[in-house]
Amino acid sequence: MKKLALTTALVVATAGTAFADGHDRVIRMGTEGAYPPYNFINDDGDVDGFERVLGDELCARAELTCEWVTNEWDSIIPNLTSGNYDTIIAGMSITDEREEVIDFTQDYYPPTASVYVAMEEGADLMGGVVAAQTNTIQSGYVAESGAILLEYATPDETVAAVRNGEADAVFADYDFLADIVAEDDDLMIVGDPVPLGGGIGMGLRETDTELRDAFDAAITSMKEDGTLNALLVEWFGEEIGQY
């Protein structure tokens, strides 16, 4: 998976768009910065990853002035609704439960499978201890599976729990775990892939309908001209689902 260092500045300056209130508005793009290759902090201390490149392009197409804000995952929705930023672009799957609280754009990343990773083929996935990041679709699945759920604030902690023996396996997005497994001979994907969620979209406050529509139009344009598929392949490989 490709991890390019960005050369753009943290603030994406474009022509700007005036919303219904009649004032130019800087759109604050909220992300976690800890979930490569979707989003992470590079060596220069800047937000990087697939969603940084995608978000910059969406802002340019929508003629929005945007800046990037990082926030811990477990409070990322409350801090959106309280106004600390205007979007969530952080590998967040579209689910009915989340749509009771916030709105989503259409998906910019197609539905894909989650997988278990363990240190041995015979790990007990349904009755053992399984680590997952808190407030994710994966933690919800584990909680209902019969396994003992160990929740952690960050994705790196879920993998560490397997390495240090606290958990029998970790359950997360395939595209997050694939690179980790490729670089660690002690870890392996076990069991069958589990399809979850309705793809990944941008989260917005329910009152921000005009902003949602602007990003929806930008996502549609990227799907139609092939640039979104090109980004997906660049960051996740030829096997990734495409539009």
Side-chain angles (χ1 to χ4, degrees):
M1 298 174 188
K2 195 168 183 179
K3 300 178 178 67
L4 298 176
L6 292 180
T7 58
T8 55
L10 187 61
V11 176
V12 182
T14 69
T17 292
F19 283 89
D21 60 6
H23 299 285
D24 287 342
R25 173 177 166 190
V26 175
I27 303 304
R28 295 157 298 170
M29 307 280 275
T31 195
E32 183 184 15
Y35 203 55
Y38 297 89
N39 58 82
F40 57 94
I41 304 300
N42 64 24
D43 292 340
D44 295 325
D46 296 328
V47 174
D48 205 335
F50 163 70
E51 286 170 318
R52 174 63 196 266
V53 177
L54 172 66
D56 285 355
E57 179 64 18
L58 292 176
C59 288
R61 292 187 182 220
E63 297 186 336
L64 297 168
T65 300
C66 297
E67 65 182 21
W68 288 84
V69 178
T70 57
N71 193 94
E72 293 180 354
W73 176 262
D74 60 358
S75 62
I76 203 164
I77 289 179
N79 277 304
L80 170 70
T81 58
S82 65
N84 290 340
Y85 35 83
D86 303 297
T87 77
I88 295 172
I89 179 166
M92 179 171 283
S93 295
I94 301 168
T95 67
D96 291 341
E97 182 180 17
R98 288 172 178 154
E99 287 192 306
E100 293 178 0
V101 182
I102 62 174
D103 274 351
F104 283 95
T105 63
Q106 63 180 291
D107 61 295
Y108 59 76
Y109 186 99
T112 57
S114 298
V115 295
Y116 292 93
V117 163
M119 297 185 71
E120 57 182 26
E121 287 283 357
D124 187 356
L125 306 180
M126 295 296 108
V129 179
V130 177
Q133 189 176 13
T134 188
N135 294 330
T136 61
I137 55 176
Q138 289 84 13
S139 65
Y141 179 85
V142 173
E144 297 179 357
S145 71
I148 298 170
L149 170 64
L150 282 185
E151 289 186 286
Y152 294 88
T154 69
D156 286 344
E157 288 176 299
T158 66
V159 178
V162 176
R163 289 184 172 129
N164 64 29
E166 293 178 12
D168 299 304
V170 53
F171 187 53
D173 289 312
Y174 168 80
D175 292 311
F176 167 68
L177 291 173
D179 268 1
I180 294 173
V181 171
E183 296 170 0
D184 189 333
D185 292 338
D186 292 329
L187 296 174
M188 63 192 75
I189 295 174
V190 296
D192 296 324
V194 181
L196 293 175
I200 293 171
M202 294 178 69
L204 302 99
R205 288 181 290 274
E206 292 179 330
T207 54
D208 267 338
T209 55
E210 191 174 354
L211 181 60
R212 182 201 62 210
D213 292 346
F215 279 120
D216 257 336
I219 294 169
T220 295
S221 73
M222 290 189 69
K223 288 179 177 179
E224 290 177 345
D225 67 16
T227 53
L228 182 51
N229 284 342
L231 271 182
L232 288 167
V233 171
E234 179 181 1
W235 284 91
F236 299 101
E238 295 286 347
E239 296 181 359
I240 187 65
Q242 298 179 43
Y243 296 101

